[in-house]
């Protein structure tokens, strides 16, 4: 019978990998062109990237070359994920004893020969205080390796199921279709008495100040002409189903109507005209997608850069250039969508403190708008 043995270095790497994946919610990422390295990311952590380098480093020159390579990869990931700051914990598991490891402001390097070296490190103790307890409890040897491998696989399967639930193919986007139908029906009714609809349901600060607050909602279903209606409904048809899928119908409704109301409030505060149209609410959906894309920026590679951001920027530019478009309503809706999605959260990504901050910021913003409207 052949005895199976496990190398000390392999066991150490497995323990480190197991801890960061199962306990700290890091996930492996693929970096092209590297060998004998493992990169992990958790963009919600103060240390966004973990690098486990198994390559042998035998002198200082090779160490500096290795650090430059790690920093180039860090900058590339930072750019792709729209991260303002990205710190790396660089774990070197095979460095010659005579080589002194150095760090810089963005990459904290640790040289380890045994797992105990990490337990004594100040960065580990500061950012991962349960490392010592969790890692030391793991069994060693072949059985320990099998157990950790199985737990890693289970964790990966669970995370894949969570992602699949978020990105699942939904049935017909019912709420989006209902909104489109309502907008079209109301437009046809407007054709019989256009001025009456505008005067009684349009958004204008004079009437809002008198207490006719229903105008903040009713004006979202009014449109000036067929082109206005069709352009808004086309945008709603394109962006609405994605928000409905990613957030669910109830949150979608909160984002849509909440953004429309906030957009109309800003329009009433800064404008002096009858504001109409679903554009503010639709810009809120844009904001919701931007926030979702930012939270899932590591998963949705390029979604912000080549997807939603150019569309939002183009529409804002058109809002400025094209006459008779409620630019303030668009800006208010966009800000409202971002604040509201900050408040209601993104599945698997938002924490309680995020939602509390979102509530506070939304209330402050709306409170300021109401005060400005009253004082106008």
């Amino acid at each position: 019978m052949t005895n199976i043995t496990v190398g000390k270095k392999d066991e150490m790497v497995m323990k480190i990998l197991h801890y960061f994946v199962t306990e700290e919610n890091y996930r492996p990422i693929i970096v092209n062109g590297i060998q004998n390295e493992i990169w992990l990311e958790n963009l919600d952590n103060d240390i966004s990237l973990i690098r486990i380098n198994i390559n042998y480093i035998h002198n200082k020159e090779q160490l500096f070359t290795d650090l430059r390579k790690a920093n180039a990869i860090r900058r590339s990931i930072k750019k792709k994920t729209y991260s303002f700051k990205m710190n790396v914990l660089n774990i070197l598991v095979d460095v010659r004893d005579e080589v002194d490891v150095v760090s810089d402001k963005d990459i904290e390097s640790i040289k380890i020969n045994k797992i105990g070296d990490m337990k004594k490190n100040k960065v580990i103790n500061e950012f991962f205080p349960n490392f010592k307890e969790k890692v030391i409890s793991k069994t060693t040897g072949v059985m320990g390796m099998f157990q950790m491998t199985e737990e890693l696989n289970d964790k990966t399967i669970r995370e894949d199921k969570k992602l699949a639930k978020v990105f699942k193919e939904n049935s017909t986007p019912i709420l989006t279709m209902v909104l489109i139908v309502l907008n079209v029906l109301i437009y046809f009714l407007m054709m019989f008495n256009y001025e009456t609809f505008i005067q009684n349901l349009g958004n204008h600060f004079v009437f809002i100040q008198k207490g006719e607050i229903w105008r903040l909602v009713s004006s979202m279903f009014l449109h000036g002409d067929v082109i206005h209606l069709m352009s808004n409904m086309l945008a709603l048809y394109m962006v609405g189903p994605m928000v409905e899928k990613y957030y669910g119908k109830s949150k979608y409704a909160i984002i849509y109507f909440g953004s429309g109301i906030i957009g109309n409030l800003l329009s009433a505060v800064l404008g002096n005209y009858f504001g109409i149209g679903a554009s503010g609410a639709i810009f809120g959906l844009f904001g919701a997608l931007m926030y979702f894309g930012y939270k899932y920026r590591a998963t949705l590679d390029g979604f912000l850069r080549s997807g939603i951001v150019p569309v939002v920027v183009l529409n804002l530019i058109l809002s400025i250039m094209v006459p008779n478009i409620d630019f303030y309503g668009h800006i208010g809706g966009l800000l409202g969508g971002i604040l509201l999605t900050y408040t209601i959260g993104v599945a698997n990504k938002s924490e309680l403190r995020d939602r509390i901050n979102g509530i506070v910021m939304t209330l402050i913003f709306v409170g300021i708008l109401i005060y400005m409207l009253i004082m106008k």
Side-chain angles (χ1 to χ4, degrees):
M1 182 176 179
T2 303
N3 290 325
I4 302 175
T5 59
V6 179
K8 290 294 182 182
K9 186 169 72 172
D10 294 334
E11 185 178 282
M12 181 171 61
V13 170
M14 176 58 80
K15 282 187 174 183
I16 295 170
L17 177 62
H18 176 273
Y19 168 78
F20 284 115
V21 172
T22 61
E23 300 294 337
E24 299 293 344
N25 295 318
Y26 283 81
R27 71 180 188 93
I29 55 176
I30 297 173
V31 180
N32 295 325
I34 65 169
Q35 291 182 333
N36 300 322
E37 296 180 28
I38 301 171
W39 284 79
L40 309 171
E41 65 86 9
N42 181 350
L43 299 181
D44 297 320
N45 198 295
D46 290 330
I47 296 180
S48 306
L49 297 174
I50 306 288
R51 180 199 188 211
I52 306 172
N53 186 7
I54 310 169
N55 292 295
Y56 177 60
I57 297 176
H58 63 273
N59 58 38
K60 185 170 289 188
E61 289 74 20
Q62 188 179 6
L63 174 65
F64 287 143
T65 300
D66 183 73
L67 285 175
R68 284 195 294 271
K69 180 179 72 172
N71 200 30
I73 294 172
R74 181 194 69 83
R75 289 196 302 268
S76 175
I77 297 174
K78 180 182 177 183
K79 182 179 179 182
K80 284 183 177 181
T81 57
Y82 291 86
S83 299
F84 298 105
K85 187 173 179 61
M86 181 162 280
N87 295 319
V88 181
L89 179 61
N90 185 31
I91 303 171
L92 307 172
V93 300
D94 198 357
V95 181
R96 188 178 178 186
D97 292 338
E98 290 79 9
V99 178
D100 294 325
V101 170
V102 295
S103 300
D104 63 24
K105 63 177 182 178
D106 297 310
I107 301 179
E108 177 69 28
S109 296
I110 302 175
K111 177 176 71 172
I112 62 171
N113 294 313
K114 54 186 183 299
I115 203 72
D117 295 337
M118 286 189 67
K119 297 172 187 175
K120 299 173 185 177
N121 184 268
K122 64 178 182 179
V123 175
I124 295 294
N125 290 325
E126 178 182 356
F127 292 97
F128 309 104
N130 66 344
F131 178 85
K132 182 176 181 180
E133 175 189 352
K134 294 296 183 180
V135 172
I136 206 169
S137 64
K138 289 299 168 188
T139 57
T140 58
V142 175
M143 293 306 297
M145 291 287 281
F146 280 139
Q147 179 185 348
M148 287 187 284
T149 301
E150 185 176 351
E151 289 173 357
L152 280 171
N153 290 334
D154 289 342
K155 174 73 173 181
T156 301
I157 292 171
R158 289 197 303 271
E159 292 300 317
D160 286 345
K161 286 182 178 179
K162 288 181 181 179
L163 276 178
K165 187 176 181 181
V166 172
F167 293 99
K168 68 180 182 299
E169 288 295 330
N170 254 6
S171 56
T172 304
I174 297 173
L175 189 51
T176 299
M177 295 297 106
V178 168
L179 289 170
I180 291 174
V181 169
L182 280 175
N183 276 279
V184 172
L185 286 176
I186 291 173
Y187 178 75
F188 278 120
L189 292 174
M190 289 180 66
M191 294 173 64
F192 296 101
N193 202 334
Y194 178 82
E195 289 299 329
T196 300
F197 272 86
I198 299 298
Q199 291 293 327
N200 288 285
L201 300 177
N203 179 41
H204 196 287
F205 80 94
V206 172
F207 298 99
I208 303 297
Q209 286 178 333
K210 292 179 180 179
E212 299 180 14
I213 58 175
W214 65 80
R215 292 173 178 266
L216 295 173
V217 177
S218 61
S219 59
M220 295 162 54
F221 292 93
L222 307 181
H223 290 85
D225 52 40
V226 174
I227 295 177
H228 187 202
L229 173 70
M230 296 306 294
S231 60
N232 275 347
M233 293 306 98
L234 178 61
L236 181 56
Y237 178 77
M238 292 173 64
V239 74
M242 286 190 285
V243 178
E244 191 168 350
K245 177 172 73 170
Y246 295 150
Y247 288 93
K249 288 176 173 52
S250 58
K251 290 183 177 181
Y252 174 83
I254 292 171
I255 295 166
Y256 185 88
F257 288 102
S259 300
I261 291 171
I262 292 174
N264 281 335
L265 274 173
L266 186 63
S267 176
V269 168
L270 299 179
N272 187 18
Y273 44 76
F274 279 98
I276 59 174
S279 303
I282 293 169
F283 266 87
L285 301 183
F286 285 143
L289 277 184
M290 288 175 65
Y291 187 77
F292 181 88
Y294 182 75
K295 281 293 186 180
Y296 276 98
R297 60 196 185 279
T299 304
L300 297 172
D301 184 26
F303 176 73
L304 286 173
R305 182 175 60 256
S306 60
I308 191 66
V309 170
V311 174
V312 173
V313 172
L314 176 61
N315 277 273
L316 287 176
I317 292 173
L318 290 175
S319 300
I320 299 173
M321 296 178 62
V322 179
N324 301 321
I325 289 185
D326 189 359
F327 175 72
Y328 298 128
H330 292 183
I331 289 292
L334 181 64
L335 292 175
I338 294 172
L339 287 172
L340 288 169
T341 49
Y342 192 25
T343 299
I344 63 180
V346 174
N348 306 322
K349 291 292 183 178
S350 297
E351 298 181 1
L352 179 60
R353 68 168 181 252
D354 295 327
R355 292 192 284 273
I356 292 174
N357 290 337
I359 292 172
V360 172
M361 292 171 66
T362 303
L363 290 176
I364 291 173
F365 184 57
V366 172
I368 292 173
L369 290 179
I370 292 174
Y371 174 78
M372 292 176 67
L373 180 61
I374 293 172
M375 300 302 294
K376 183 172 180 177

